Amino acid sequence: MNIELQHAGDNARLIITSGVFRWGKHNSLIGEILMCLPRLKVEDSGFLFRTTIITGPSIHIMYAQTILESAGYDVVEV
């Protein structure tokens, strides 16, 4: 699973990409993030490689980053 963080001033976005065999974990991570932070916007695309883009205010995205890192994933800042 590849997770990237992009800052753009007051707004930021997380890009989460995973293969077909990791969709269950992908869905549970997205669900956990949205349960904690329901104001974030989510766009989902892809068939074999699923890409989810989560956008919102930087402070909320930083909290989502904390959730991902506590689950054991590395977040790469671009």
Side-chain angles (χ1 to χ4, degrees):
M1 194 173 302
N2 184 18
I3 304 171
E4 295 179 2
L5 173 65
Q6 297 177 348
H7 289 285
D10 289 340
N11 293 323
R13 66 181 176 172
L14 278 171
I15 301 172
I16 303 171
T17 305
S18 63
V20 69
F21 298 111
R22 302 283 297 194
W23 281 5
K25 189 63 176 174
H26 185 106
N27 287 338
S28 68
L29 283 174
I30 300 302
E32 183 178 350
I33 290 170
L34 291 179
M35 288 292 289
C36 294
L37 303 161
R39 292 187 179 186
L40 295 177
K41 296 178 185 175
V42 177
E43 295 177 21
D44 200 20
S45 65
F47 180 68
L48 290 177
F49 292 98
R50 187 171 183 184
T51 301
T52 303
I53 301 172
I54 303 172
T55 59
S58 293
I59 191 73
H60 294 295
I61 297 295
M62 288 172 57
Y63 184 67
Q65 177 185 2
T66 308
I67 293 170
L68 291 169
E69 288 175 347
S70 67
Y73 292 98
D74 293 327
V75 179
V76 179
E77 293 189 32
V78 179

